[in-house]
Amino acid sequence: MKIKKVLLLFLFISSFSYAEYLLTINKSRSTIVKCITYYDFAGNDMYYTDAVNDRTKRISLSSIKSYSIKSGYYLDKRDYNACKLVTKKLSSFTLDNKASLNSYNLTYLGLSDEDLNLMFAISGLLSSFLFLFGLFRWI
């Protein structure tokens, strides 16, 4: 019973955020903060899609000091395109039925790639445990 509560709590917390990420880039003399919808790494470059104008941009990782990417933010267009932390209840979000769920649009559920990998790992362990438990129960 306790495992069920922990699993439900994990799924609720991981689905509490919405779609955007907060990207903070620290350069030698400035700091850039942006709302992004997608990011990827290729070689020594980081590609990200800006949430404001929906354009993909590239930045070289060797030209910056550090960066951080945090999930759980949304773009507030009413507040001059500010990137704000999600504090709404999950029931206040609308469902988007435009495409089937995959690893690229699971951010609508608040799942980053790391959260998705963790969810798959936990569900794989639970299903294999249930299979082995059922197999050894009848032996």
Side-chain angles (χ1 to χ4, degrees):
M1 186 70 176
K2 195 169 214 168
I3 293 174
K4 187 185 276 187
K5 287 181 182 179
V6 171
L7 184 62
L8 287 174
L9 180 66
F10 170 74
L11 290 175
F12 175 74
I13 290 172
S14 67
S15 65
F16 191 73
S17 59
Y18 191 53
E20 279 84 16
Y21 300 98
L22 179 69
L23 172 65
T24 306
I25 300 172
N26 295 318
K27 291 188 172 185
S28 60
R29 295 184 183 176
S30 64
T31 300
I32 301 169
V33 179
K34 293 186 176 196
C35 245
I36 61 173
T37 56
Y38 177 75
Y39 65 94
D40 194 11
F41 297 95
N44 198 24
D45 296 332
M46 179 174 67
Y47 295 90
Y48 62 91
T49 304
D50 198 347
V52 175
N53 55 15
D54 204 28
R55 291 185 182 166
T56 302
K57 299 179 182 178
R58 178 186 64 85
I59 188 164
S60 175
L61 294 177
S62 60
S63 66
I64 60 174
K65 287 170 66 175
S66 64
Y67 68 92
S68 69
I69 300 171
K70 297 178 182 176
S71 61
Y73 288 82
Y74 72 100
L75 182 68
D76 190 4
K77 294 184 178 184
R78 293 175 291 163
D79 192 14
Y80 302 106
N81 294 330
C83 200
K84 294 185 176 181
L85 185 65
V86 173
T87 57
K88 298 179 183 178
K89 292 181 181 178
L90 188 62
S91 61
S92 65
F93 292 114
T94 57
L95 183 62
D96 187 9
N97 289 328
K98 293 180 182 175
S100 61
L101 292 177
N102 56 34
S103 64
Y104 293 110
N105 62 8
L106 273 175
T107 54
Y108 286 109
L109 298 177
L111 294 175
S112 65
D113 291 336
E114 294 84 15
D115 293 337
L116 183 65
N117 288 339
L118 182 63
M119 185 183 72
F120 283 150
I122 290 173
S123 63
L125 287 173
L126 287 175
S127 61
S128 64
F129 171 74
L130 289 174
F131 175 74
L132 291 175
F133 178 74
L135 182 68
F136 288 122
R137 184 174 177 208
W138 298 108
I139 293 179

